[in-house]
Amino acid sequence: MGLARIASPINLTFSVTNMCQSRCKTCSIWKVYRDEPDRFRQELSLEEVERSFATIGEIYFFNISGGEPFLRRDLPQIVAAACKYLKPAVIHTPTNALTPRVIEERTAEILEVIRVSGRTIPFTIKPSFDGVGEVHDEIRGVKGNFDKVLDTLSRLKKLQKVHPNLEIGVGTIISKFNLGHIRETARFTHDLGIDSYISEIAEQRTELFNVRDPITPTPEEYEKAIGEFNGELASVTDKKVSSMTSASRQVYYKYAIRIMKEKRQVLPCYGGIANAHISPYGDVWPCCVLGYDKSMGNLRDADYDFRRIWHSREAAEVRRFIAGRKCWCPLANQAYSNILCNPRAVLEVRRERRAMKGIR
């Protein structure tokens, strides 16, 4: 409402690179990166990352994104900078799982970095898992990708025996391309021995250069798919996920369906307040959906001072745009913050949790 000075975000996403070996049907970063290299600037160096992180303040959730995050050789050093300056309670990264050995080695380095920091921080890794066998390979555009997902999971589970703060899951993007395979995809996870399993809906985002691509299911298609997903998920035990987190996911799925059907932001959105996103080139966004269209500023232009951008006139204008509900989306990363910031939604989470536990 503009009645108080904006605090540091509680959820920070940093897209560490736009490099990616995948050729996904739901994302066009790889196409633009290949065909129009001049559109991309040099990515932030480790020194630039450290200078920027030093100005942000403490956060709760540090989400690493890409491209493929593990293609950055200095990823462990970026995590070290996050531990030093951001002091997150949780660190998370997805991966396309195309380089199992590299992922294993860099994960081991990251876990050692966390150990040396003296803090017990859960490090969660979720390989993309959009189908079984050839279905996954077809959507991800790389033959043999599914086998490498299984290899990656096997390697990570060995690391987990030594590092109990490593949490392993998989994530499914529900798109036009796998609607007929959601049940079998979810069922396959029963025997994977993972800690958690989540899904998101495929979205058109400026970050992914796919705003014209017909990838998003209709509200009716998504509602049916999430019903199949949840039907199988009931058989999967989230080993390291609290009942409150599981309940939050169920409430998110319900709100995502409503947002899709009503084509409006059902809950007030705290993009640019609770959440922030930094691009590989230093752009500060309220979220990855608005991304390049609604940048708050660039860290290089602000002498790497995040707060200078966070409290700028440009940032205030972006927040007014969002507060006016001139955009809407079911972006999961943002939606969870919106739920936590809304008393009514929190009560829904509490009711869902009680229902899951069989409490009347």
Side-chain angles (χ1 to χ4, degrees), residues 58-261:
E58 294 186 16
I59 63 170
Y60 181 80
F61 192 91
F62 180 52
N63 185 44
I64 302 165
S65 186
E68 167 53 32
F70 286 94
L71 286 180
R72 277 203 68 150
R73 295 181 179 180
D74 59 357
L75 184 60
Q77 288 71 43
I78 290 174
V79 172
C83 291
K84 179 179 180 180
Y85 296 110
L86 305 179
K87 296 179 170 53
V90 180
I91 302 175
H92 167 76
T93 186
T95 178
N96 59 25
L98 282 172
T99 55
R101 181 182 59 80
V102 171
I103 293 167
E104 178 186 19
E105 292 174 353
R106 290 190 181 146
T107 297
E109 290 184 60
I110 289 170
L111 291 167
E112 178 61 17
V113 161
I114 293 174
R115 187 192 68 79
V116 170
S117 75
R119 301 174 65 237
T120 304
I121 304 172
F123 180 50
T124 70
I125 302 180
K126 285 190 170 60
S128 300
F129 189 78
D130 290 347
V132 178
E134 293 182 1
V135 175
H136 180 81
D137 293 355
E138 176 67 20
I139 294 172
R140 291 280 156 175
V142 179
K143 188 175 178 58
N145 195 164
F146 181 76
D147 290 337
K148 290 184 177 180
V149 170
L150 299 182
D151 186 9
T152 298
L153 290 173
S154 177
R155 291 169 181 264
L156 292 176
K157 282 188 278 188
K158 290 179 183 177
L159 281 177
Q160 193 177 46
K161 293 177 181 179
V162 183
H163 301 277
N165 61 315
L166 175 61
E167 299 183 11
I168 307 166
V170 292
T172 296
I173 302 297
I174 298 177
S175 70
K176 284 282 191 179
F177 310 110
N178 61 359
L179 283 171
H181 303 278
I182 297 303
R183 192 183 299 279
E184 66 173 323
T185 302
R187 185 174 297 156
F188 192 90
T189 66
H190 294 185
D191 300 320
L192 285 180
I194 54 176
D195 299 318
S196 66
Y197 179 34
I198 62 172
S199 74
E200 293 185 42
I201 187 170
E203 294 181 90
Q204 295 166 318
R205 307 176 185 174
T206 66
E207 175 202 26
L208 305 180
F209 301 98
N210 65 356
V211 293
R212 297 182 184 278
D213 298 341
I215 62 174
T216 307
T218 66
E220 292 74 23
E221 289 172 334
Y222 178 65
E223 186 171 22
K224 178 183 177 183
I226 206 65
E228 295 176 349
F229 176 85
N230 279 331
E232 293 297 330
L233 194 64
S235 303
V236 180
T237 301
D238 282 351
K239 300 176 186 176
K240 294 190 177 183
V241 176
S242 70
S243 58
M244 189 64 75
T245 298
S246 295
S248 296
R249 289 176 182 171
Q250 294 306 312
V251 171
Y252 158 69
Y253 296 140
K254 293 175 183 177
Y255 273 110
I257 293 169
R258 279 193 60 191
I259 291 168
M260 295 289 293
K261 285 184 174 181

